[in-house]
């Protein structure tokens, strides 16, 4: 980037003091471009002057030169702190964000769609998700200033796109945290045999989600990711083995669980779309990809991460959906851990507690980072390494968690909550927004300038239309199913102590 030509003293990181011979070129972006040796002494601003710093603040706001240099040191430390993510840790972060609630909802989706359609949709959507995630990464490489999905919206549609996609981004992640809060409530009710009010368990779940979301960097969250991944794999394994053994030991029937290659009888348009959107939800990792990649020290390595995650997801989701559906049959429940039987369900939920709260909290971290970074864009507060930075960060994390808890209590049904999120938001983040990015930001030349351009144009147009189809049909199906459930009285009331069925 071009320098403005202005120079500002830079603190010595090792000692916390300022070297009088070090100056830094001022960038419009606010990041140092190079350090130059200079013979002049460090400038000291005269009282009452309005000289600006490298980050645009006026020097007169500082009480002393020491305060100014302290803040500059915090900026330098913060910038280093938020750029420590490698491709392996990125993979773990994506796994933490992606493989959790989605896996628990897929067996019931297979029961609705049938084995054949379930496998085809699971693999097909997974391949599309890998491709659109690749496009998202290409946008980040081409436009390094993009820190969150909303920034990509600004590149495509200006301020309107920034605000629209920013609102969708915040709502999606907050609803996602609400889903994890709801799942935590279900887990505690199951583990305790409905020992206390479900509302209390909801509060306990929210408190745990808040505590786990306190670390502000994804590099720190990645450490918990290994526990998260082991948790979901073991929990799914216990559920698959448990349902398999149980299906051959049920005394009331000599027949194995009934499953079908085709959609179950009586499946309505709404039922099919709720099931499809539950599978779409499971492949929603692109929503956080910009945020994660912004912390990478080598962003071009992201391709390794999305291939690793995509293949892992396709294998886990397809096997989980197919095997549990085959063992349990059309009566498989959502989340799937409820289908393992009373004892094994408790064991599975106990093992799954880490994934419920770690995967939920990373979404709190992402949305809080977006809001915090936007509010304190030109302040050292955004680095969360000062007392004010920590105070505002903790307050924001608490606010997001409270809103998520309210959502979980107001919408106490698992599959339809996932369906609403998929239809309204994931349809965009995973399908039609990446397709638009290819046309508006990545494509070179006319859409039919070359054979490769023509092929990619057709593929992206198809992905765009699929996203719009999921948006329209999925939203209709989810809302209709919620209305039907309330009409039948099969859903408990909001903010009550009743168990979640």
């Amino acid at each position: 980037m071009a320098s403005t030509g202005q120079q500002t003293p830079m603190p010595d990181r090792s000692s916390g003091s300022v070297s009088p011979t070090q100056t830094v070129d001022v960038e419009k972006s606010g990041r140092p471009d190079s350090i130059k040796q200079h013979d002049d002494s460090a400038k000291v601003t005269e009282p009452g002057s309005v000289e600006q710093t490298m980050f645009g603040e006026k020097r007169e706001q500082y009480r002393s030169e020491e305060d100014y240099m302290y803040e500059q040191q915090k900026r330098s430390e913060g910038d280093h702190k938020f750029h420590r993510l490698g491709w392996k840790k990125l993979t773990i972060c994506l796994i933490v964000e992606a493989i959790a609630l989605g896996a628990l909802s897929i067996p019931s989706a297979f029961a609705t769609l049938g084995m054949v359609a379930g496998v085809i949709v699971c693999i097909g959507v997974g391949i599309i998700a890998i491709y659109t995630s690749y496009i998202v990464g290409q946008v980040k490489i081409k436009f390094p200033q993009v820190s969150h999905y909303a920034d990509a919206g600004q590149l495509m549609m200006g301020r309107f796109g920034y605000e629209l996609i920013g609102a969708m981004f915040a709502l999606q992640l907050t609803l996602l945290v609400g889903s994890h809060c709801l799942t935590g409530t279900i887990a505690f009710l199951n583990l305790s045999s409905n020992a206390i009010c479900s509302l209390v368990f909801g509060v306990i779940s929210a408190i745990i989600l808040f505590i786990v979301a306190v670390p502000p960097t994804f590099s720190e969250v990645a450490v918990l990711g290994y526990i998260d991944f082991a948790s979901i794999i073991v929990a799914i394994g216990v559920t698959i083995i448990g349902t398999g053994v149980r299906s051959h030991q049920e005394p009331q029937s000599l027949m194995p669980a009934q499953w079908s290659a085709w959609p179950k009888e009586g499946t309505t348009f709404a039922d099919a779309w709720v099931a499809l959107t539950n599978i779409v939800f499971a492949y929603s990792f692109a929503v956080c990809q910009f945020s994660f990649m912004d912390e990478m020290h080598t962003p071009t390595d992201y391709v390794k991460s999305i291939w690793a995650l995509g293949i892992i997801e396709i294998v886990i989701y397809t096997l989980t959906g197919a095997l549990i559906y085959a063992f349990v049959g059309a009566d498989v429940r959502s989340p799937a851990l409820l289908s393992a039987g009373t004892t094994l369900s408790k064991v599975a939920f106990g093992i799954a507690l880490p994934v419920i709260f770690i995967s939920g909290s990373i979404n709190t971290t992402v949305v809080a980072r977006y809001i915090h970074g936007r509010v304190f864009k030109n302040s050292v507060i955004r680095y969360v390494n000062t007392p004010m930075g920590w105070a505002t960060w903790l307050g924001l994390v608490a606010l997001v968690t409270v809103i998520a808890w309210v959502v979980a209590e107001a919408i106490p049904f698992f599959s339809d909550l996932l369906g609403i999120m998929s239809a309204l938001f994931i349809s965009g983040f995973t399908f039609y927004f990446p397709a638009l990015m290819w046309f508006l930001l990545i494509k070179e030349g006319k859409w039919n300038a070359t054979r490769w351009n023509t092929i990619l144009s057709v593929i992206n147009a198809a992905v765009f239309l699929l996203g719009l189809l999921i948006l329209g049909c999925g939203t209709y199906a989810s809302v209709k199913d919620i209305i039907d459930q309330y009409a039948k009285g099969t859903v408990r009331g909001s903010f009550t102590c009743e168990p979640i069925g």
Side-chain angles (χ1 to χ4, degrees):
M1 291 187 180
S3 171
T4 63
Q6 185 180 352
Q7 294 184 321
T8 306
M10 194 70 179
D12 186 335
R13 294 185 185 181
S14 61
S15 63
S17 61
V18 183
S19 171
T21 60
Q22 282 186 328
T23 60
V24 61
D25 283 354
V26 180
E27 285 187 323
K28 292 180 182 178
S29 66
R31 286 189 181 179
D33 181 49
S34 62
I35 301 294
K36 295 182 179 181
Q37 296 300 319
H38 201 280
D39 295 332
D40 297 336
S41 298
K43 291 183 180 180
V44 179
T45 304
E46 295 296 329
S49 71
V50 292
E51 181 185 354
Q52 289 189 332
T53 71
M54 59 188 293
F55 288 90
E57 305 93 337
K58 294 179 180 179
R59 290 284 299 275
E60 62 182 356
Q61 68 177 294
Y62 299 100
R63 292 188 301 272
S64 67
E65 183 72 11
E66 288 74 18
D67 289 341
Y68 167 66
M69 299 316 301
Y70 168 78
E71 184 160 322
Q72 294 301 84
Q73 182 178 354
K74 287 297 181 181
R75 290 181 190 278
S76 178
E77 292 172 355
D79 191 66
H80 173 72
K81 174 181 177 182
F82 285 99
H83 289 89
R84 295 182 299 177
L85 207 63
W87 77 267
K88 293 179 182 178
K89 283 190 175 181
L90 172 62
T91 304
I92 293 298
C93 285
L94 289 170
I95 286 174
V96 170
E97 194 272 332
I99 304 179
L101 298 175
L104 306 183
S105 67
I106 286 179
S108 65
F110 270 62
T112 300
L113 298 174
M115 189 69 77
V116 173
V119 171
I120 291 174
V121 171
C122 214
I123 295 175
V125 172
I127 293 172
I128 294 173
I130 292 173
Y131 172 68
T132 55
S133 184
Y134 174 78
I135 294 175
V136 167
Q138 287 298 298
V139 173
K140 174 63 179 174
I141 299 301
K142 188 174 182 179
F143 304 94
Q145 71 271 26
V146 174
S147 297
H148 299 281
Y149 220 115
D151 297 330
Q154 186 169 28
L155 290 177
M156 292 188 290
M157 296 174 281
R159 183 60 182 267
F160 171 77
Y162 180 74
E163 298 297 345
L164 173 65
I165 296 180
M168 291 176 62
F169 181 74
L171 283 171
Q172 159 64 15
L173 294 177
T174 303
L175 285 172
L176 193 51
V177 178
S179 289
H180 283 267
C181 190
L182 178 62
T183 308
T185 303
I186 294 172
F188 285 132
L189 287 170
N190 187 276
L191 286 169
S192 67
S193 300
N194 303 326
I196 60 176
C197 173
S198 63
L199 200 62
V200 175
F201 279 135
V203 173
I204 294 173
S205 296
I207 292 172
I208 297 174
L209 284 167
F210 167 78
I211 293 172
V212 182
V214 167
T217 71
F218 301 124
S219 180
E220 293 167 325
V221 173
V223 176
L224 297 174
Y226 298 100
I227 300 173
D228 176 281
F229 187 55
S231 171
I232 191 63
I233 293 299
V234 174
I236 289 174
V238 168
T239 305
I240 291 174
I241 294 171
T243 52
V245 172
R246 189 169 176 238
S247 69
H248 292 86
Q249 292 183 345
E250 288 293 335
Q252 66 268 26
S253 174
L254 297 177
M255 296 294 293
Q258 296 298 311
W259 61 272
S260 172
W262 313 111
K264 68 181 179 182
E265 187 177 348
T267 298
T268 65
F269 178 83
D271 292 337
W273 271 98
V274 168
L276 192 148
T277 52
N278 273 218
I279 294 177
V280 169
F281 173 85
Y283 292 100
S284 61
F285 52 88
V287 65
C288 295
Q289 189 176 328
F290 281 122
S291 305
F292 294 153
M293 285 184 66
D294 198 50
E295 282 198 18
M296 293 187 74
H297 53 70
T298 312
T300 51
D301 283 347
Y302 84 96
V303 178
K304 303 174 186 177
S305 298
I306 62 170
W307 272 110
L309 172 68
I311 293 171
I312 289 171
E313 279 196 307
I314 290 173
V315 171
I316 290 177
Y317 292 159
T318 305
L319 289 179
T320 299
L323 291 176
I324 294 180
Y325 172 47
F327 292 147
V328 179
D331 295 328
V332 65
R333 300 172 68 184
S334 181
L337 299 186
L338 293 170
S339 299
T342 304
T343 302
L344 274 179
S345 179
K346 293 180 184 297
V347 173
F349 267 120
I351 296 171
L353 284 178
V355 73
I356 291 171
F357 295 113
I358 295 173
S359 290
S361 65
I362 198 172
N363 296 288
T364 306
T365 303
V366 173
V367 69
R369 281 279 303 278
Y370 164 66
I371 297 172
H372 196 263
R374 179 174 177 174
V375 172
F376 301 107
K377 183 177 181 179
N378 296 316
S379 171
V380 72
I381 291 173
R382 74 182 185 275
Y383 292 116
V384 197
N385 60 356
T386 62
M388 181 58 71
W390 275 108
T392 53
W393 172 256
L394 293 175
L396 185 56
V397 170
L399 177 62
V400 172
T401 305
V402 169
I403 294 173
W405 173 79
V406 171
V407 168
E409 292 298 326
I411 312 178
F413 25 81
F414 187 78
S415 290
D416 284 311
L417 180 54
L418 303 190
I420 289 172
M421 286 189 287
S422 296
L424 291 178
F425 304 121
I426 300 304
S427 59
F429 293 126
T430 302
F431 295 93
Y432 60 80
F433 283 147
L436 274 179
M437 289 177 197
W438 187 83
F439 281 108
L440 299 177
L441 305 176
I442 300 298
K443 178 176 65 65
E444 296 181 358
K446 293 184 177 180
W447 71 272
N448 59 349
T450 64
R451 178 178 296 179
W452 187 237
N453 259 22
T454 302
I455 293 172
L456 289 179
S457 294
V458 171
I459 291 174
N460 283 283
V463 171
F464 178 80
L465 292 175
L466 176 60
L468 293 183
L469 190 65
I470 294 171
L471 172 63
C473 296
T475 301
Y476 164 78
S478 296
V479 172
K480 185 179 184 302
D481 196 55
I482 290 170
I483 293 173
D484 290 344
Q485 286 191 52
Y486 271 112
K488 295 175 184 177
T490 56
V491 178
R492 67 160 197 162
S494 300
F495 299 97
T496 68
C497 283
E498 299 173 30
I500 300 174

